[in-house]
Amino acid sequence: MDENVSLTRQIGQRMMAGFDGPRLDDAFVDLVKTHKVGNVILFKWNITGKEQLNKLCEEIQQLVMRETGRPAFIAIDQEGGAVSRLSEDATCVPGAMAIAATGDPENAYQAGRLTGLELRALGVNFNLAPVLDVNSNDANPVIGVRSYGEKPETVIRYALPMMRGLEDSGTLSCGKHFPGHGDTSVDSHLALPVVDKTMDELRSVELAPFQAAIDAGLPAVMTSHIVFPQVDAGTPATLSRRILTGLLREEMGFDGLIMTDCLEMKAIQHSVGTVRGTVEAIQAGADLVLVSHTASLAAEAAEAIRRALESGEIDRAEWERSLERIAALKADYLSRPAPELSIVGSEAHTRENRKLLERTLTPIRVPGGRFPDLGSRPRHLGCPVFRATRVSNLDDDPLTFPAFMAEKLGGSAEATPSNPTEEDIAAIVERAADASGIVIGTYNGHLYPGQIELVNRLASLGVPVVAVALRNPYDLRLLNPNVWSLAAYEYTAKAFDAVAAVLRGEAEAAGKPTVTVLAD
């Protein structure tokens, strides 16, 4: 083989890229043909249905195999709950914090196995889960319900079974976001967060789940774009040799695949830049660099990596070891037989998932020990879902909590603003004045105080008010003690349906929170 072609293919094996839309586009096809990029990441916008996704994965594998001689990692963020990329005709399990609220790690295993089986049937072989972050900062705008809880032992107790479930389904798993994204108040999609902790503090909290997962055989780790100044001043973890090689490889003994989070995120783009970031991540010890969205940037990155290799900026022995890691994982996971497509969204999986979800619903305050009778004129309120973080899906969803609940429980519905003003609140309360009971959904209300003020003002009307947290449960600690409250963890029709069953008295909410919602 021509040496230049061989090097191009090697560089392509070290890269993962994505494209817009449900079909392969010309720019991405050209990227694979020219730069031999050998791995793909999929997002919500790439998926319209299970048959379409299965066909798309086949086309990706045909293209990549033809151009590179190797099958592709096809990766996705199918964490469950708030971060789910699959279409409605597939099974989307509850998210991490919701699963942990069930109190049973076996549910985390089932969630991982069920997810992995459907991904493999669809043609996806690499799930970017479980989340190993400890959500110790309740103002965290990007992790929150994606974490199993606020204590490392909780995360370990549930993340490891999730990992094992993915493994048993034949799907490659990836722990993220090393060395920990749980104590940030900045979204690294938008800016560069800083976690100013000592190594001892990191070892006792952030690093503990990663170490436990490594000891249990975790095959891959994703890095975070966060500065840890007491470990490596000024350098994001993704670009830090001290963190990726010194800490993760040498001290913690990890010999699996290290992949970066997307290098187009603002934390990298606005510091060293995406293209230079790919080179520095490889120098730091990353095996696989992720440029998720822009083919032209991925092409520039491939050329920058080539120049760094040829100039000796990148160590050749480490380069070869990374190629060996990637080849070994592909030989193992990508040769495993896939289940039939018919299992995706099957009746059996739907039933199993419904049972999981029902166990997640978590009562927070229940005055009198039961949810109230809402009367003959209930009023249903709450904002439409919005993009709480850049990792959330982009599409506008016609589903709204108040309309759904009115359909299930009767009464009237009103969609409210995501952060109501004083004027909004006064008008909404006035329109609700003749209601016999009120059900209101919150969505990250602890970060959007107008939502909380609205609930508390409604509580002064003298009728029963039930608040349902449809993302982070922290909202509920800020409410009037007379408000009945329930954590549902996700803004989906199946969660709303389960909430309606609880409010009708047909089901019991028995979950226990794994983060502090109310003071003891």
Side-chain angles (χ1 to χ4, degrees), residues 307-385:
R307 289 192 297 272
L309 267 168
E310 290 172 343
S311 68
E313 271 192 272
I314 293 172
D315 183 272
R316 280 283 183 164
E318 286 190 1
W319 178 265
E320 293 294 337
R321 283 197 293 275
S322 286
L323 289 171
E324 287 166 9
R325 283 188 196 100
I326 292 165
L329 285 174
K330 287 189 173 184
D332 182 355
Y333 286 87
L334 276 52
S335 62
R336 299 183 185 189
E340 293 293 322
L341 186 62
S342 59
I343 72 159
V344 177
S346 65
E347 191 178 323
H349 281 192
T350 301
R351 194 165 51 245
E352 184 179 343
N353 194 43
R354 170 76 190 201
K355 287 179 185 170
L356 280 179
L357 188 133
E358 287 171 349
R359 294 173 191 141
T360 69
L361 294 181
T362 306
I364 301 300
R365 267 201 186 100
V366 187
R370 55 181 293 176
F371 284 95
D373 181 348
L374 296 168
S376 59
R377 299 183 315 282
R379 182 81 165 159
H380 305 283
L381 302 165
C383 61
V385 70

Side-chain angles (χ1 to χ4, degrees), residues 125-323:
N125 49 48
F126 195 174
N127 193 16
L128 304 179
V131 170
L132 294 173
D133 302 312
V134 181
N135 202 69
S136 55
N137 184 342
D138 58 17
N140 194 323
V142 68
I143 303 300
V145 289
R146 300 168 64 198
S147 166
Y148 289 98
E150 66 188 9
K151 295 180 179 173
E153 51 269 30
T154 305
V155 175
I156 292 166
R157 188 166 182 242
Y158 293 94
L160 268 57
M162 168 75 167
M163 178 183 92
R164 208 166 57 248
L166 287 166
E167 174 68 32
D168 288 354
S169 74
T171 304
L172 184 59
S173 63
C174 180
K176 60 189 187 184
H177 306 79
F178 186 82
H181 210 316
D183 193 15
T184 61
S185 54
V186 171
D187 185 345
S188 52
H189 294 83
L190 305 174
L192 183 59
V194 175
V195 175
D196 192 13
K197 289 186 169 182
T198 66
M199 271 305 305
D200 284 345
E201 288 172 321
L202 290 173
R203 284 190 189 99
S204 66
V205 179
E206 279 79 2
L207 296 177
F210 287 95
Q211 188 66 68
I214 289 165
D215 294 345
L218 181 69
V221 163
M222 177 183 280
T223 65
S224 65
H225 308 326
I226 300 171
V227 173
F228 294 82
Q230 297 198 48
V231 184
D232 192 350
T235 306
T238 292
L239 311 181
S240 168
R241 188 166 180 86
R242 194 171 297 169
I243 291 173
L244 300 194
T245 298
L247 176 59
L248 181 55
R249 287 257 185 254
E250 294 170 1
E251 184 178 323
M252 297 177 72
F254 181 64
D255 195 35
L257 178 81
I258 299 177
M259 70 178 291
T260 71
D261 207 339
C262 179
L263 294 164
E264 291 187 67
M265 288 161 62
K266 299 293 190 290
I268 300 298
Q269 198 181 92
H270 290 175
S271 51
V272 301
T274 298
V275 173
R276 181 61 196 171
T278 61
V279 174
E280 293 191 13
I282 289 170
Q283 290 173 322
D287 301 301
L288 192 61
V289 291
L290 180 54
V291 182
S292 301
H293 308 295
T294 313
S296 58
L297 272 178
E300 284 182 57
E303 292 299 334
I305 293 166
R306 177 187 293 276
R307 289 192 297 272
L309 267 168
E310 290 172 343
S311 68
E313 271 192 272
I314 293 172
D315 183 272
R316 280 283 183 164
E318 286 190 1
W319 178 265
E320 293 294 337
R321 283 197 293 275
S322 286
L323 289 171

Side-chain angles (χ1 to χ4, degrees), residues 98-107 157-158 359-360 510-512 514:
I99 287 287
T102 69
D104 185 357
E106 177 62 21
N107 291 329
R157 188 166 182 242
Y158 293 94
R359 294 173 191 141
T360 69
K512 304 284 187 195
T514 61

